[in-house]
């Protein structure tokens, strides 16, 4: 069945999507091959296209600061972190939820499996979302259950509006939340020896 599905995908013409398609229902397979109008960000959440504008510059700067801290740790701990991927470099294809997500940061501790549909089975240990005004509902309400279902160990929500980070850790099949304030540094058993300087992240503009 999977081989037949791939053949069908090769035969059909890709669909073009744009901002007017926000809220449109679409299958995960069709969305994966869609040609998107530039200048917007696209995700598929539970079979529905989600279109948002490019966030304000403070968002990518805070993403960059967080990623820089993780990448700096990786330079001396390559045996711990395999890849720190950005939103355009990694994705999750959550088939059961019919969702395609592009976290701001995905931290992988092991190499990808040698399969064609790698993004449907390669699970990051940690995903990070930096909240923007247009992503509040998605980051806090929609994505936690999807990331949990996909097998993610930790989900960090960095929120400059609330001046805090919500760190979710998998515990007995559910998320256990911890609120981290700027004065605190956050450590995780997934990255022994690493601590996130949240104050530096939230101060990045």
């Amino acid at each position: 069945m999977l081989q037949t599905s791939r053949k069908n995908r090769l035969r059909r013409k890709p669909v073009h999507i744009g901002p007017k398609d926000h809220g449109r229902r679409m299958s995960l397979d069709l969305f994966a091959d869609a040609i998107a109008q530039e200048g917007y960000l696209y995700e598929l959440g539970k079979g529905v296209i989600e279109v948002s504008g490019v966030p304000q510059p403070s968002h990518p700067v805070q993403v960059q600061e967080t990623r820089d801290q993780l990448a700096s740790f990786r330079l001396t701990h390559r045996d711990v972190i395999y890849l720190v991927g950005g939103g355009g470099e990694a994705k999750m294809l959550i088939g059961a939820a019919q969702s395609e997500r592009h976290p701001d940061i995905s931290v992988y501790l092991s190499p990808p499996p040698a399969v064609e549909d790698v993004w449907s089975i390669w699970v990051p240990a940690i995903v990070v979302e930096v909240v923007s005004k247009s992503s509040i509902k998605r980051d806090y309400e929609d994505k936690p259950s999807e990331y949990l279902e996909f097998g993610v160990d930790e989900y960090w929500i960095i929120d400059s509006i609330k001046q805090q980070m919500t760190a979710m850790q998998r515990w007995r099949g559910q998320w256990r939340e911890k609120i981290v304030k700027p004065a605190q540094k956050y450590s995780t058993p997934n990255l022994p020896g690493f601590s996130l300087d949240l104050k530096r992240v939230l101060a990045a503009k």
Side-chain angles (χ1 to χ4, degrees):
M1 288 294 292
L2 186 58
Q3 188 174 6
T4 303
S5 175
R6 287 176 186 151
K7 287 180 180 178
N8 290 338
R9 286 173 63 183
L10 290 173
R11 290 194 197 106
R12 70 182 177 221
K13 290 184 178 180
V15 175
H16 290 259
I17 60 174
K20 62 180 174 45
D21 293 299
H22 179 76
R24 174 184 173 185
R25 297 204 65 84
M26 183 173 284
S27 70
L28 185 56
D29 275 352
L30 203 59
F31 183 79
D33 294 331
I35 297 175
Q37 180 180 331
E38 294 183 0
Y40 301 87
L41 304 177
Y42 302 83
E43 286 189 320
L44 190 72
K46 295 180 174 59
V48 177
I49 297 175
E50 300 170 353
V51 186
S52 56
V54 176
Q56 293 298 311
S58 59
H59 177 273
V61 172
Q62 290 176 358
V63 171
Q64 179 175 261
E65 174 59 36
T66 306
R67 189 173 177 181
D68 284 351
Q69 291 187 37
L70 289 162
S72 178
F73 177 78
R74 180 184 175 275
L75 288 175
T76 54
H77 296 79
R78 294 182 184 272
D79 58 325
V80 178
I81 295 180
Y82 177 80
L83 172 68
V84 180
E89 301 161 341
K91 63 182 178 181
M92 297 185 209
L93 301 179
I94 310 167
Q98 284 293 292
S99 296
E100 178 178 320
R101 295 301 186 185
H102 297 256
D104 289 325
I105 300 172
S106 299
V107 181
Y108 296 88
L109 306 186
S110 58
V115 297
E116 185 174 347
D117 292 330
V118 63
W119 300 115
S120 63
I121 61 173
W122 193 23
V123 181
I126 302 168
V127 295
V128 184
E129 298 284 9
V130 175
V131 176
S132 60
K133 288 183 178 179
S134 64
S135 74
I136 294 173
K137 180 182 182 298
R138 293 198 306 276
D139 293 343
Y140 279 106
E141 298 179 24
D142 301 336
K143 294 181 179 180
S145 61
E146 295 179 356
Y147 292 163
L148 187 70
E149 176 187 331
F150 197 63
V152 172
D153 281 341
E154 290 190 48
Y155 174 31
W156 304 350
I157 306 173
I158 297 175
D159 192 332
S160 62
I161 302 169
K162 294 183 177 180
Q163 284 291 294
Q164 67 181 33
M165 179 176 90
T166 303
M168 300 184 182
Q169 292 186 342
R170 178 181 293 273
W171 184 73
R172 295 183 178 179
Q174 298 181 343
W175 287 129
R176 180 168 56 182
E177 294 186 10
K178 177 181 180 180
I179 301 300
V180 184
K181 293 296 185 179
Q184 301 171 282
K185 292 186 178 182
Y186 178 73
S187 299
T188 164
N190 277 301
L191 305 176
F194 172 79
S195 62
L196 180 72
D197 189 335
L198 183 61
K199 186 176 182 179
R200 275 173 47 195
V201 173
L202 295 175
K205 302 293 184 184

